[in-house]
């Protein structure tokens, strides 16, 4: 029997799933995250879940791991002391940025500080032209002298090598890397020509400095994790979830740690796409809500929408342009600071605000009794009767509901002259509206009508809010998979090994020949294949997908055009038709008199998905479809507490139908079904709510 474990580290809880690939049976576990060292929770959890299953850790063939380590390091500025080698005259590019204002009328705009401070940047006297011709040769020895002084003065641990036009000709960057590794073998080195070699130096260099900034941190973390797992008896393969929806081996994760930026959320979205494919849902909104954030992503035709640029560490909540611009392949999602740990308060306008600040795992919500004093969304859900204090985490965690209610009354109720229940509902409903508003904006920017979608909801807090959020978005069908509270951990186990590479090479479409096409694709094919072949994937099992950045000549903005491989003989016609279709969709017209050009070429290599079909959670033992209890819980359509039938999710058989108001409890979460909704259980044990 082959066993695999999926691990998703969140801001409050770390989730675990153990799957027997022979039988398809899965078991789940959830415990508080250890923020000081997330690997502690990982080791403790894998030992706990294997012991509960009656197996040894040596019986596990693979552990797939998603982490928020990189994201937290950027937000909290806990990366290493990083230096930068940059072409002379471009030392201030990180500070200048895009020269755009994210708020035209704010005279006190703030931007995130670059990850490399100005005194740690060394100018390199070299120059490469835009076509790769060397205009000014590099004096490597002189650069090493300057670097030695920087290492001594600033004690830097990593170096980002960022030279102009290195995406065309990386010779100077490679020469510097070789010299650094020879003279300073303990320094970590990241090249802009290696990580993401595309035009536009600002975006390329911020991505490279990010990679260098977190590389020592990720390397040390993976070393601790691998050593601890090995000491506990694990001899299988360790895989790391990337932001693009695929997994990486540790060696690749160490080389490109920036690709772990949205590691955990990507897995849940990919699992939603997997469910959508099995259930035959072409358009869906994946809604993930945990302890710290809420995420939403659209899946069209069983494939999550992707993007190739994101912003990290925004200083002005969620205003575009107020963060560090990172060029990486990532699943296209909207993320807001709304989760179970989101702290509520009354702002200066006398209005209830919830989040984005979170109580996290420590001290956590007031109800946890771990020192938290500020009321959170989870405290509101206990106060409203949606969560059962005696059944939280299956009864493993002691809950103080009275303390939660008292904190809400003191912080929100009394200042606004509201009773405790009304104040708690205000906290709950504001989060619903914040999430729905973010999803509306995301849908309109992507040209998607959310009313035509079904919703798949998951995460520890997702089922609590899904029906209400869907109602606001006029979505009529909500699917809650089995063990929805740990679905991102399940997503780790359906994610294939994959790696994507990009290369900027300007070619006018009219001048594109089959020879040029084959040359560019083969360069990328060799690069991405090598990563998977090294990981042990058979060459015949690797599939490829291609995306081109195309534009009208002279424009500074590209359109993404996907193309099936291998390309047909009608390649040029397909490219022009695909570009004009995407351009019309975005701008409403085409420019017939302007030549079209390819700016960048992207190729992704993927191994087969390890998924074998639907997993069967071992806790599910179908029985009688009768409520196990009734509990008073808040019903907004009535404006008061009313009896809610409480069902055990694990005993509900396929075909059963439930009318609201009702609560469906499971170990990791609870689904709230309002009076205007009903639910049924399908053949795969999904809870399907109709609104």
């Amino acid at each position: 029997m082959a066993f695999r474990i999926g691990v998703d580290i969140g801001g409050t809880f770390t989730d675990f799933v153990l799957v027997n690939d022979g039988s398809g049976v899965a078991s789940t576990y959830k415990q508080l995250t250890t923020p000081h060292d997330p690997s502690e929770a990982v080791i403790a959890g894998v030992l706990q879940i294997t012991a509960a299953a009656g197996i040894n850790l040596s019986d596990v063939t693979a552990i797939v791991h998603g982490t928020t380590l990189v994201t937290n390091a950027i937000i909290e500025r806990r990366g290493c002391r990083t230096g930068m080698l940059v072409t002379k005259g471009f030392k201030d590019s990180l500070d200048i940025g895009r020269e755009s204002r994210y708020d035209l009328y704010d005279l006190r705009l703030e931007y995130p500080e670059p990850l490399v401070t100005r005194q740690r940047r060394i100018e390199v006297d070299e120059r490469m032209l835009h076509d790769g011709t060397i205009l000014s040769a590099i004096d490597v020895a002189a650069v090493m002298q300057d670097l030695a002084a920087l290492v001594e003065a600033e004690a830097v641990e990593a170096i980002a090598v960022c030279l102009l036009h290195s995406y065309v000709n990386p010779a100077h960057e490679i020469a510097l890397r070789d010299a650094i590794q020879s003279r300073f073998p303990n320094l970590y080195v990241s090249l802009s020509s290696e990580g993401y070699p595309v035009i536009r130096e600002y975006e390329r260099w911020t991505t490279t400095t990010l990679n260098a900034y977190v590389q020592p941190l990720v390397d040390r973390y993976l070393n601790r994790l691998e050593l601890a797992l090995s000491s506990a008896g694990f001899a299988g393969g360790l895989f790391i979830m990337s932001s693009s929806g695929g997994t990486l081996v540790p060696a690749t994760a160490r080389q490109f740690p920036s690709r772990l930026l949205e590691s955990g959320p990507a897995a849940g979205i990919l699992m939603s796409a997997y469910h959508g494919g099995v259930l035959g849902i072409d358009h869906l909104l994946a809604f993930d809500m945990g302890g710290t954030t809420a995420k939403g992503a659209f899946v069209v035709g069983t494939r999550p929408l992707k993007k190739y640029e994101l912003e990290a560490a925004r200083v002005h909540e969620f205003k575009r342009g107020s963060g560090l611009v990172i060029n990486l392949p990532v699943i296209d999602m909207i993320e807001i600071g709304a989760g179970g740990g989101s702290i509520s308060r009354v702002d200066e306008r006398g209005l209830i605000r919830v989040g984005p600040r979170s109580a996290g795992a420590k001290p956590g919500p007031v109800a946890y009794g771990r020192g938290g004093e500020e009321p959170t969304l989870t405290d509101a859900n206990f106060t409203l009767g949606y969560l059962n204090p005696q059944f939280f985490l299956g009864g493993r965690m002691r809950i103080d509901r009275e303390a939660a209610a008292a904190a809400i009354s003191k912080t929100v109720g009394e200042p606004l002259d509201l009773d405790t229940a009304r104040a708690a509902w205000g906290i709950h409903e504001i989060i619903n509206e914040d999430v729905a508003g973010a999803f509306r904006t995301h849908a309109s920017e992507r040209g998607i009508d959310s009313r035509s979608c079904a919703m798949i909801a998951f995460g520890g807090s997702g089922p609590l809010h899904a029906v209400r959020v869907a109602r606001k978005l006029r979505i009529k069908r909500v699917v809650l998979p089995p063990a929805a509270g740990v679905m991102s951990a399940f997503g780790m186990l359906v994610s294939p090994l994959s790696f994507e590479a990009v290369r900027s090479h300007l070619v006018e479409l009219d001048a594109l020949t089959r020879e040029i096409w084959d040359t560019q694709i083969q360069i990328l094919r060799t690069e991405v294949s090598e990563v998977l072949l090294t990981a042990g994937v058979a060459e015949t099992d690797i599939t490829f997908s291609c995306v081109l950045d195309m534009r009208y000549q002279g424009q500074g903005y590209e359109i993404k055009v996907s193309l099936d491989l291998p390309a047909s003989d009608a390649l040029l016609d397909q490219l022009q038709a695909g570009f004009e279709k995407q351009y019309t969709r975005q701008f409403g017209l085409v420019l017939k008199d302007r030549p079209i050009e390819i700016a960048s070429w992207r190729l992704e290599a993927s191994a087969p998905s390890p998924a074998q079909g639907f997993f069967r959670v071992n806790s599910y033992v179908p029985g009688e479809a009768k409520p196990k209890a009734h509990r008073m819980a808040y019903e907004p359509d009535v404006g008061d507490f009313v009896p809610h039938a409480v069902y055990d999710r694990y005993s509900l058989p396929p075909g059963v139908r439930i009318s609201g108001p009702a609560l469906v409890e499971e170990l990791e979460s609870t689904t709230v079904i309002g009076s205007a909704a009903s639910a049924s259980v399908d053949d795969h044990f999904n809870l399907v709510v109709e609104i």
Side-chain angles (χ1 to χ4, degrees), residues 32-75:
L32 285 169
T33 296
T34 48
H36 63 282
D37 183 0
S39 64
E40 289 186 11
V42 174
I43 300 301
V46 297
L47 291 176
Q48 179 68 34
I49 199 170
T50 51
I55 64 172
N56 297 316
L57 192 53
S58 58
D59 297 322
V60 177
T61 60
I63 294 177
V64 189
H65 171 349
T67 177
T68 57
L69 185 69
V70 173
T71 303
N72 293 341
I74 299 172
I75 294 173

Side-chain angles (χ1 to χ4, degrees), residues 86 100 125 173 304 336 461 515:
V86 59
S100 61
D125 191 2
E173 287 196 354
I336 68 170
S461 301
E515 181 181 0

Side-chain angles (χ1 to χ4, degrees), residues 163 165-170 173 191-201 203-205 207-208 256 259 327-328 499-505 523-524 527 549 599-602:
L163 303 183
H165 300 310
S166 61
Y167 66 90
V168 180
N169 184 349
E173 287 196 354
L191 306 186
S192 73
S193 58
E194 186 177 57
Y196 214 66
V198 293
I199 54 177
R200 299 190 179 93
E201 61 272 9
E203 291 83 355
R204 177 160 47 92
W205 293 352
T207 306
T208 307
F256 302 111
R259 298 193 181 219
N327 271 3
L328 288 171
F499 188 76
E500 179 174 310
V502 61
R503 175 184 175 87
S504 284
H505 182 73
I523 291 172
L524 292 171
E527 181 179 348
D549 293 357
S600 296
W601 311 58
R602 306 172 188 273

